[in-house]
Amino acid sequence: MADIKAELIQVPGVVGVDVTPATSRISILTDGPVDDAAIRTAMEAAGCGVIPR
């Protein structure tokens, strides 16, 4: 899970990341708009898939 946090926190605008392995959920705190493609790229770099909601 540390890989996911490390990748996501590097995305411009992301100021916090909370990972809940039991439910396979990730919450991302931002300080403004964040590029969806950058989030997807960071998730893929960490070896995770993305399910849009």
Side-chain angles (χ1 to χ4, degrees):
M1 296 299 134
D3 290 342
I4 298 168
K5 285 184 177 185
E7 290 292 337
L8 287 171
I9 204 71
Q10 294 180 51
V11 175
V14 173
V15 295
V17 179
D18 183 45
V19 180
T20 308
T23 58
S24 299
R25 296 193 76 134
I26 299 170
S27 298
I28 301 169
L29 178 64
T30 67
D31 63 0
V34 176
D35 181 24
D36 289 343
I39 295 292
R40 185 176 305 276
T41 299
M43 293 290 295
E44 290 170 353
C48 297
V50 177
I51 301 172
R53 52 177 241 176

